[in-house]
Amino acid sequence: MPPAVRLQRAVALIGSFPALAGVDLEVTPGEVVLIQGPNGAGKTSLLRACAGLLPVSSGRAEVLGEDLARRQRAVRRRVALLGHATFLYDDLSVIDNVRFAVRAAGAPARDLGAALARVGLDGRLPRTSVGRLSAGQRRRVALAILLARRPELWLLDEPHAGLDASGRDLVDEMVREAAAGGSTVLLASHEADRARPLASRLVAMAGGQVQGEELVLWGGSPPNTPERVHVA
Amino acid sequence: MWRDAALVAGKDIRVELRSRVATNQVLPFALLVLILFAFALDPDRGFLGQAAPGLFWVAVLFSAVLAVQRSFAIEASDHAREGLRLSGLDPAGIFLGKAAAVAAQLGVLEAVLTAGVVVLYGAHLEGALLLLGTCLAATVGLAAAGTAYGVLAASLRVRETLLPLLLLPVVAPVLLGATKAWEAGLAGHPAQGDPWLRLLAVFAVVYLALGVLAFGPLLEES
Amino acid sequence: MSGLIDAGYSVVLVSVAAYSAAVVYRHRSLARSLPPPTPDAEPEEEGEWQ
Amino acid sequence: MIITRRQARRPLTSSSSRRPGSLVRTATGVVGLASVAATVWLGLWVTPPSTNLGQLVRLLYIHPPVAWVAYLAFGVTAAASLLYLWRRTRSVVWDRLAAASGEVGVLFCGLTLVSGSIWGKATWGVWWTWDARLTSTALLFVLYLGYLALRRVPSDPGTRAKRSAVAAILAFADVPISYLSVYWWKTLHQTGTVLNPQRQVHVHGLMAWTLLLGFCAFTLVYAWLVAHRYAVEALAERQQGEGLARALAERRAEGRAA
């Protein structure tokens, strides 16, 4: 089985700014990797590059066994990116948005109501225009799309942001379920207390490069004493 | 490709049905253009009746620019354009879907404008088959070229000003061909309109083909 | 009549001359602002460019 | 974008004036200038007035050559854009050539319109008539003005190259269609200045040679201008490329500092 993500000296440019300045990273399927780093470290760019949104201009980049330089589009149906933007159409109703996103990804549009109920959007909410929802509710719609799509690689950029306590618990639950179901999760978060217990590995980024890695034992290891495996 | 096209067209039309921007803004704008022409040309001397085909198609052209801008404005909110790229939809399908949605809106607009030129300019509709065929070919051509240029300009900060400059010279043959075909139809000489109809069909086919080929690379440019 | 002919010639010649001057000036000033090219510069440590 | 990176290390420009490419360029410029001067001299003073056009025939020595260069330039832009878009021949060379040729083409297209308009004033008594050739040339002019406007929008070089190439193809596909439509619409312009058999009688001897010289002269000037404009494009990219190498280093230093 090929690694879920394999980056070797990957450079990605935004305009003429090197958002990724040579990233080395390998993620095996089923892992939950937490990417940490200060603002501007390149976390979001890394996730966007893995989604095939930000072209990798040099180095090697493979996601789910596909070469991103050549087949940028091939991975997109198997990958989901949840970022600052939720990619929803304000004028469409919640259920129409979910149906469009799920069918566009090539997944069967079944049990959409169940997915929406799971994220707490039921009653008359599915028929409401997304434009009338609060920021937190919009993120819940995006979570419902993730649930219905069942992607192989989850790229979560600050998934807890803008959610209330139950929403944050829901994100944690979903990440655990995804990993248990064989999916791979790349998670960028500033909320270390929240995200660390989810992760099987920590990756520290700064200046558009990976600066170090730590392996966290599943489940119970205290967040401040991880087993340090490798420091670049 | 066709499945994706149907999905995208359905989505765009659903957005329009719920937001009614084309109905509430583009359509009144087109009618306003018809009325302004009457101010500019003396309505009592019968200029309007003679110029009806040209004025009709100029109004359609300007409205087409607005429709294309609207079509890509809905992808601009909440980074939906990125969502579209991320979705893994076939770019050719996205192109055809968006063009079909624009064409459908233009079709409705043309129907209303036709009533407008009959009522306001006193045009007599003859050779209905030619008029209809012209509308069909011209609309497909406008929608195809418009969608191709729409995605070209969509990622630029100056898109509102650049799109008309890029699109209008390209669709000038459509204006010419459709006007001449309508003139022939309204004058009761449908045979004279045939070469123009063929020209419109060629334009539509060329820009559909180019759009299918070019939409993918253009959509990828963020 | 001959005025029109002179006008035709001068418009063409003056415009081409002005554009040439602008392009050559831009070329010169850019070339001066950049160091001369070094064709055998060592590649950076990135290695393979795809 | 990738090529720009390579550009940062190994510039392809021939900015140093001792290179052979630059020598050819200078020679083209000198010969072009001399032949333009010769065309003007022959056209204004040496050649006789024509029997049916009178003195007006003198405009004939510059208007068709200028128009020819405009069409040639747009043709080159379209061909270079195609070569850029085709994966196997993709190279920044074609993008620069398309940009250079497009800009020179717009200049010559504008001059075609102006000199054609002067011709029209002299023959028909009006500055502008809606005849087929004038109208389609005007459309062409606006079409490529849009292309240049698109090129000037600041963006990432690779993105801009691809976008501009597509725009050039989309515009170029319109040229035959719009020409045909305008041609059907109205035809007033004398068709073909040199190849038309009826007119050929009047363009002979020294006049024919002057016209031929005019074509060569303006084509050489075109080549020279494109060569310079190409170098400007390449240098501007190099300037950007060197900025990029610095940016990459700064970005990494940022990481080490953190």
Side-chain angles (χ1 to χ4, degrees):
Chain A
M1 200 166 180
V5 175
R6 177 196 273 157
L7 300 175
Q8 285 169 354
R9 288 171 301 182
V11 173
L13 305 175
I14 299 175
S16 58
F17 174 72
L20 298 184
V23 170
D24 292 292
L25 181 67
E26 193 158 324
V27 180
T28 46
E31 262 192 299
V32 178
V33 176
L34 172 63
I35 301 157
Q36 289 184 307
N39 286 333
K43 304 187 295 292
T44 298
S45 299
L46 175 66
L47 295 183
R48 287 168 58 85
C50 291
L53 268 185
L54 183 62
V56 175
S57 56
S58 79
R60 286 178 64 81
E62 279 169 31
V63 169
L64 301 172
E66 303 275 9
D67 186 347
L68 277 186
R70 269 167 244 288
R71 294 165 52 80
Q72 215 184 20
R73 234 161 31 80
V75 297
R76 288 186 184 159
R77 285 197 177 189
R78 304 160 64 193
V79 169
L81 175 70
L82 177 63
H84 309 293
T86 45
F87 313 128
L88 299 173
Y89 295 97
D90 283 359
D91 294 316
L92 288 183
S93 67
V94 169
I95 185 88
D96 284 343
N97 261 302
V98 175
R99 188 177 295 124
F100 176 71
V102 170
R103 288 175 62 185
R110 278 181 277 109
D111 307 325
L112 298 185
L116 281 170
R118 169 102 195 266
V119 300
L121 295 169
D122 43 15
R124 53 168 191 85
L125 279 172
R127 310 245 159 256
T128 314
S129 289
V130 165
R132 297 207 195 121
L133 298 185
S134 72
Q137 282 174 315
R138 290 178 82 104
R139 294 195 72 82
R140 284 172 185 262
V141 178
L143 290 177
I145 293 173
L146 272 179
L147 277 174
R149 272 187 57 186
R150 314 201 160 281
E152 290 167 60
L153 175 63
W154 297 39
L155 304 166
L156 307 179
D157 193 2
E158 301 291 347
H160 299 105
L163 286 170
D164 57 17
S166 71
R168 296 151 80 89
D169 289 343
L170 177 69
V171 170
D172 295 354
E173 231 172 81
M174 280 172 63
V175 168
R176 288 207 179 89
E177 274 172 28
S183 295
T184 314
V185 182
L186 248 65
L187 186 76
S189 181
H190 285 296
E191 301 184 49
D193 303 348
R194 185 104 213 165
R196 275 200 169 202
L198 295 172
S200 55
R201 183 148 62 106
L202 306 184
V203 168
M205 279 190 80
Q209 284 177 303
V210 171
Q211 302 293 339
E213 295 190 18
E214 302 168 11
L215 189 71
V216 184
L217 295 176
W218 259 119
S221 98
N224 46 356
T225 55
E227 184 189 340
R228 190 160 287 234
V229 169
H230 161 74
V231 177
Chain B
M1 180 168 94
W2 300 111
R3 188 200 75 98
D4 291 356
L7 195 62
V8 171
K11 184 263 296 172
D12 273 17
I13 288 172
R14 201 177 278 268
V15 167
E16 169 50 27
L17 288 179
R18 286 182 72 108
S19 70
R20 302 208 171 263
V21 169
T23 336
N24 295 343
Q25 292 171 24
V26 180
L27 200 56
F29 167 79
L31 288 172
L32 178 68
V33 171
L34 283 192
I35 293 167
L36 290 180
F37 281 143
F39 291 169
L41 305 172
D42 194 344
D44 295 333
R45 297 208 199 140
F47 284 153
L48 283 177
Q50 284 170 33
L55 301 182
F56 173 87
W57 284 105
V58 169
V60 170
L61 225 60
F62 287 160
S63 312
V65 173
L66 292 186
V68 167
Q69 268 171 350
R70 168 66 186 157
S71 172
F72 286 92
I74 59 178
E75 305 297 345
S77 72
D78 199 10
H79 300 77
R81 209 172 116 82
E82 271 186 1
L84 221 47
R85 287 166 61 192
L86 268 177
S87 65
L89 285 169
D90 182 358
I94 301 177
F95 168 75
L96 291 175
K98 290 199 84 69
V102 169
Q105 293 173 27
L106 286 180
V108 172
L109 184 110
E110 282 161 17
V112 175
L113 280 182
T114 307
V117 290
V118 169
V119 173
L120 297 173
Y121 298 176
H124 300 287
L125 296 185
E126 277 164 58
L129 205 64
L130 176 66
L131 298 190
L132 213 63
T134 306
C135 277
L136 189 73
T139 305
V140 172
L142 282 178
T147 308
Y149 275 97
V151 70
L152 187 77
S155 63
L156 305 173
R157 256 168 293 165
V158 290
R159 58 180 169 270
E160 291 86 359
T161 41
L162 194 59
L163 180 65
L165 174 64
L166 291 175
L167 181 58
L168 288 177
V170 169
V171 295
V174 174
L175 174 66
L176 203 50
T179 304
K180 290 287 150 186
W182 265 53
E183 273 175 6
L186 291 183
H189 308 297
Q192 287 176 11
D194 276 357
W196 293 110
L197 196 57
R198 247 174 280 141
L199 185 91
L200 291 173
V202 167
F203 184 93
V205 168
V206 166
Y207 279 91
L208 275 177
L210 285 177
V212 163
L213 291 175
F215 199 84
L218 290 175
L219 189 68
E220 290 304 321
E221 311 300 348
S222 41
Chain C
M1 191 65 79
S2 70
L4 283 175
I5 295 167
D6 291 344
Y9 273 77
S10 16
V11 164
V12 169
L13 296 178
V14 168
S15 309
V16 172
Y19 179 76
S20 313
V23 168
V24 171
Y25 172 76
R26 181 114 198 271
H27 186 185
R28 290 271 157 80
S29 59
L30 264 177
R32 222 175 296 129
S33 73
L34 288 167
T38 46
D40 44 13
E42 277 303 301
E44 291 162 33
E45 86 264 33
E46 273 83 47
E48 283 294 295
W49 294 93
Q50 296 186 347
Chain D
M1 184 187 293
I2 306 150
I3 298 151
T4 330
R5 292 277 333 179
R6 194 175 286 148
Q7 178 66 15
R9 276 183 283 122
R10 211 178 310 135
L12 300 164
T13 48
S14 55
S15 68
S16 117
S17 53
R18 265 152 282 147
R19 298 218 180 163
S22 142
L23 211 68
V24 170
R25 190 175 63 207
T26 311
T28 312
V30 170
V31 176
L33 186 67
S35 47
V36 166
T39 309
V40 171
W41 178 61
L42 288 170
L44 282 184
W45 288 287
V46 178
T47 51
S50 147
T51 41
N52 71 332
L53 287 171
Q55 297 290 343
L56 260 184
V57 75
R58 303 194 188 285
L59 276 176
L60 198 69
Y61 304 128
I62 52 165
H63 174 65
V66 165
W68 146 254
V69 168
Y71 299 138
L72 171 74
F74 292 150
V76 168
T77 300
S81 302
L82 261 185
L83 285 169
Y84 182 84
L85 286 180
W86 196 31
R87 231 168 248 288
R88 283 171 61 187
T89 51
R90 175 163 300 180
S91 151
V92 70
V93 167
W94 303 123
D95 177 51
R96 289 183 202 146
L97 182 61
S101 190
E103 196 174 290
V104 177
V106 165
L107 171 77
F108 276 83
C109 194
L111 289 176
T112 307
L113 287 175
V114 173
S115 59
S117 177
I118 288 171
W119 171 277
K121 178 69 184 168
T123 47
W124 305 314
V126 285
W127 292 110
W128 187 265
T129 55
W130 292 99
D131 86 305
R133 211 154 332 150
L134 269 177
T135 312
S136 56
T137 309
L139 269 180
L140 201 62
F141 183 62
V142 185
L143 213 54
Y144 279 87
L145 270 187
Y147 172 73
L148 288 192
L150 182 71
R151 284 208 76 100
R152 291 216 182 89
V153 178
S155 57
D156 166 74
T159 310
R160 189 187 64 172
K162 208 188 283 177
R163 188 162 54 207
S164 311
V166 172
I169 301 300
L170 285 179
F172 193 73
D174 199 49
V175 173
I177 300 177
S178 82
Y179 184 76
L180 196 63
S181 68
V182 174
Y183 196 80
W184 286 352
W185 182 46
K186 248 165 207 177
T187 312
L188 229 163
H189 202 287
Q190 35 202 318
T191 44
T193 20
V194 186
L195 297 175
N196 188 318
Q198 286 136 20
R199 299 257 160 213
Q200 207 165 26
V201 192
H202 304 293
V203 183
H204 59 84
L206 186 59
M207 297 159 87
W209 286 112
T210 309
L211 183 57
L212 185 65
L213 182 67
F215 274 97
C216 297
F218 281 100
T219 308
L220 284 173
V221 168
Y222 161 76
W224 178 75
L225 277 174
V226 166
H228 265 289
R229 187 63 188 73
Y230 179 96
V232 166
E233 199 74 14
L235 284 175
E237 276 168 30
R238 213 182 109 207
Q239 204 173 29
Q240 250 184 350
E242 283 181 2
L244 179 66
R246 213 176 310 126
L248 206 59
E250 277 169 18
R251 180 86 168 129
R252 287 185 178 142
E254 193 184 305
R256 282 189 287 275

